[in-house]
């Protein structure tokens, strides 16, 4: 039996039955009964803006799957580049497909010299690396004007390769510039994560070989951040992409969304919170203050997850692998104590507040030496694969331009009053 809902317009007594399909009801059916009556749903809390086959989240159960594969299995056995292929193509690659994909990405890591010399070096010396990244990604559209041919399969694929490949180069360049250090060219003999670490940290040595445990930790963090269905930045990508602009411009909009502290900046807030708590003795007082309405426990709670964020579990484990190399982040003990205290407290359990992905990721990044300004940049590198997967999916679905309605609550019509008469 098909499940359905019935909506009755009490003004006219007319009803319409709408089938429930894939967990949703189609708004165009609603519009047949109620033309000109809009759903009021700011922030899209109850709106499914897309049909998507990329990522599945079950927030109650704390499950995350890319193309049907559980995140735990991908984090354990895959690599970021394989996951990027999976997100974009829908299936895991064969050996030959993976080799060709990795080769393509690896050989598109360089950026045009003018991007570096004329563009990046034009920023003020203390520019925020995320501000540099947003602008640099947008600027790429002027270097590859053919990218506007978004319905040409070959050209579109080329831009996807370029974007995934060049993000670490731009990200590291943004850091080096804001730290007053010279640009490091990509080393194509290295893996994706090792190459990124080389571009970040290389100084005078002829070749920078990252510690394999740290390179693997970065790769795992990239896997965990590669996609998260219709989040704020992905929605920005889809909305801007629906205008049929080139992918660099759409990606720049997605990066800009990620720049915001409510999205890509929460792990920085966690570090600041842990530093302000200062010692284990202060944890109970801090929790009591949060419960009495003074601030939030940063890195706890999630709009979708009402259970332990599965990514947080993986990151918590990865943190120990990183600390074996870097030494323990002194803030870890405070984080563990906070988690233990909160999870034993009715205030947090009754509201279903659990650690999210950001609770431990900042601790790892900080232990590895990344400045806090780089945290959203580190998020943008892998999320590019997810943004592009959603963009490709949206183009294939031939969706209309995104154009929501509004409920107008402003002034009724009135006549202009000349300045002298006001
Ligand atoms: N600490 C203390 N109380 C909290 C927290 C928290 N971190 N999060 C939610 N609550 C409480 C609220 O005060 C509210 O309590 P009430 O019902 O008594 O008023 C209840 O839990 C529901 O909170 P909402 O704000 O309605 O939940 P929402 O789904 O809108 O918020 C959010 C989700 C923004 C993530 C929130 O939990 C939060 O602010 N967390 C801290 C910031 C953070 O970690 N953000 C990263 C999210 S993950 C990501 O973006 C990659």
């Amino acid at each position: 039996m098909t499940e359905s809902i019935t909506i009755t317009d009490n003004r006219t007594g007319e009803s319409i039955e709408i089938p429930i399909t894939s967990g949703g009801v189609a708004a165009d059916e609603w519009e047949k009964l109620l033309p000109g009556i809009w759903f009021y749903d700011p922030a899209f809390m109850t709106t499914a803006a897309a049909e998507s086959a990329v990522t599945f989240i079950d927030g109650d159960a704390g499950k995350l799957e890319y193309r049907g594969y559980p995140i735990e299995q991908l984090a354990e056995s895959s690599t970021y580049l394989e996951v990027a292929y999976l997100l974009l193509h829908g299936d895991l690659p064969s050996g030959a497909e993976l080799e060709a994909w990795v080769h393509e990405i690896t050989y598109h890591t360089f950026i045009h010299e003018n991007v570096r010399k004329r563009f990046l070096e034009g920023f003020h010396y203390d520019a925020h690396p995320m501000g540099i990244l947003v602008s640099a990604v947008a600027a790429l559209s002027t270097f590859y004007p053919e990218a506007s041919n978004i319905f040409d399969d070959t050209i579109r694929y080329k831009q996807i390769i370029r974007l995934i490949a060049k993000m670490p180069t731009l990200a590291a360049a943004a850091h080096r510039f804001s730290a007053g250090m010279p640009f490091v060219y990509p080393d194509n003999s290295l893996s994706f994560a090792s190459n990124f670490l080389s571009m970040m940290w290389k100084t005078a040595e002829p070749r920078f070989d990252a510690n394999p445990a740290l390179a693997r930790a970065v790769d795992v963090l990239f896997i965990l951040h590669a996609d998260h269905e219709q989040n704020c930045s992905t929605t920005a990508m889809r909305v801007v992409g629906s205008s049929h602009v080139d992918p660099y411009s759409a990606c720049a909009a997605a990066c800009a969304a990620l720049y915001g502290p409510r999205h890509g900046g929460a792990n920085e807030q966690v570090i600041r919170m842990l530093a302000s708590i200062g010692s284990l003795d202060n944890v109970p007082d801090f929790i009591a203050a949060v419960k009495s309405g003074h601030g939030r426990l940063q890195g706890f709670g999630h709009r979708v997850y009402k259970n332990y964020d599965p990514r947080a579990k993986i990151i918590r484990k990865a943190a120990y692998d990183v600390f074996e190399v870097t030494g323990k982040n002194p803030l870890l003990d405070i984080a563990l104590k906070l988690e233990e205290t909160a999870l034993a407290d009715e205030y947090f359990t009754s509201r279903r507040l659990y650690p999210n992905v950001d609770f431990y990721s900042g601790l790892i990044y900080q232990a590895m030496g990344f400045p806090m300004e780089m945290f959203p940049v580190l998020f943008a590198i892998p999320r590019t694969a997810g943004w592009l997967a959603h963009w490709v999916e949206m183009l294939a679905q031939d969706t209309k331009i995104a154009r929501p309605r509004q409920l107008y609550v402003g002034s009724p019509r009135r006549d202009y009053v000349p300045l002298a008469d006001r």
Side-chain angles (χ1 to χ4, degrees):
M1 192 191 73
T2 318
E3 293 188 324
S4 67
I5 59 156
T6 299
I7 298 171
T8 304
D9 182 347
N10 292 328
R11 298 167 305 176
T12 61
E14 275 182 65
S15 289
I16 190 163
E17 187 182 352
I18 311 179
I20 300 174
T21 315
S22 308
V25 290
D28 53 356
E29 290 294 322
W30 158 283
E31 203 194 351
K32 283 181 199 158
L33 176 70
L34 297 164
I37 303 283
W38 312 119
F39 280 114
Y40 177 56
D41 188 19
F44 314 132
M45 302 266 292
T46 50
T47 296
E51 268 190 324
S52 181
V54 180
T55 287
F56 171 75
I57 301 175
D58 180 338
D60 285 329
K63 281 188 191 157
L64 169 63
E65 295 165 4
Y66 296 159
R67 301 284 188 184
Y69 293 100
I71 193 67
E72 294 81 3
Q73 293 180 21
L74 294 171
E76 180 69 31
S77 311
S78 189
T79 61
Y80 167 66
L81 282 189
E82 187 181 53
V83 164
Y85 183 100
L86 170 69
L87 289 169
L88 278 147
H89 294 81
D91 275 313
L92 286 170
S94 67
E97 285 165 341
L98 182 61
E99 198 181 323
W101 171 250
V102 171
H103 178 87
E104 281 272 38
I105 302 280
T106 307
Y107 284 87
H108 284 88
T109 49
F110 277 68
I111 51 175
H112 194 290
E113 274 300 283
N114 281 350
V115 176
R116 179 176 76 82
K117 279 202 192 128
R118 300 196 190 279
F119 191 75
L120 293 180
E121 290 182 5
F123 282 95
H124 203 246
Y125 71 92
D126 61 352
H128 193 293
M130 194 62 177
I132 296 179
L133 187 74
V134 170
S135 318
V137 172
L140 288 184
S141 74
T142 66
F143 287 86
Y144 306 111
E146 75 275 18
S148 59
N149 295 316
I150 56 172
F151 290 110
D152 181 308
D153 292 350
T154 311
I155 291 177
R156 190 176 60 242
Y157 198 68
K158 184 76 168 277
Q159 314 319 312
I160 290 170
I161 299 277
R162 281 179 172 149
L163 265 162
I164 292 175
K166 294 181 198 310
M167 282 303 267
T169 315
L170 292 174
H175 163 70
R176 304 283 294 202
F177 179 76
S178 58
M181 295 178 73
F183 176 73
V184 174
Y185 285 93
D187 180 342
N188 290 347
S189 69
L190 298 173
S191 72
F192 190 82
S194 299
N195 181 37
F196 173 58
L197 293 176
S198 158
M199 291 187 289
M200 281 293 299
W201 309 127
K202 187 168 180 286
T203 48
E205 63 276 55
R207 179 187 153 105
F208 181 92
D209 280 306
N211 180 296
L214 300 188
R216 177 60 192 160
V218 166
D219 212 44
V220 169
L221 283 156
F222 283 178
I223 291 172
L224 300 182
H225 286 89
D227 195 46
H228 211 230
E229 50 117 306
Q230 312 302 320
N231 56 85
C232 179
S233 57
T234 302
T235 300
M237 181 83 189
R238 279 188 178 258
V239 169
V240 175
S242 78
S243 75
H244 288 176
V245 73
D246 68 88
Y248 300 104
S249 303
C251 252
C255 277
L258 196 59
Y259 197 173
R262 282 172 151 187
H263 191 7
N267 48 9
E268 176 177 343
Q269 299 309 321
V270 173
I271 298 294
R272 293 193 191 285
M273 172 188 75
L274 295 174
S276 78
I277 294 172
S279 87
L280 290 178
D281 298 343
N282 297 332
V283 167
D285 284 351
F286 180 80
I287 292 279
V290 168
K291 285 166 62 179
S292 64
H294 295 98
R296 290 199 161 188
L297 181 47
Q298 297 299 328
F300 257 66
H302 196 276
R303 173 61 57 76
V304 180
Y305 293 117
K306 300 301 169 197
N307 201 326
Y308 214 101
D309 180 338
R311 300 167 300 174
K313 272 189 199 152
I314 300 165
I315 290 184
R316 194 177 193 265
K317 186 174 160 291
Y320 287 99
D321 299 339
V322 168
F323 298 156
E324 285 222 346
V325 180
T326 61
K328 195 172 78 178
N329 187 324
L331 298 176
L332 175 70
D333 289 336
I334 300 177
L336 290 170
K337 178 82 180 159
L338 264 184
E339 180 186 335
E340 185 192 296
T341 312
L343 293 183
D345 191 308
E346 195 270 340
Y347 174 94
F348 295 93
T349 51
S350 66
R351 288 170 177 77
R352 305 182 72 190
L353 301 169
Y354 295 88
N356 62 48
V357 68
D358 291 315
F359 195 66
Y360 288 105
S361 63
L363 287 174
I364 299 187
Y365 292 144
Q366 196 183 43
M368 289 176 78
F370 289 103
M372 279 194 277
E373 301 75 51
M374 280 299 283
F375 290 3
V377 176
L378 287 157
F379 194 157
I381 296 171
R383 186 54 61 87
T384 302
W387 292 333
L388 290 166
H390 285 272
W391 175 69
V392 168
E393 182 178 66
M394 183 199 65
L395 292 181
Q397 290 167 343
D398 194 22
T399 52
K400 288 184 186 293
I401 187 168
R403 204 308 185 182
R405 301 292 185 144
Q406 64 169 9
L407 306 184
Y408 180 68
V409 294
S411 165
R413 184 198 175 282
R414 49 185 166 163
D415 290 323
Y416 178 79
V417 181
L419 192 55
D421 298 342
R422 276 176 236 159

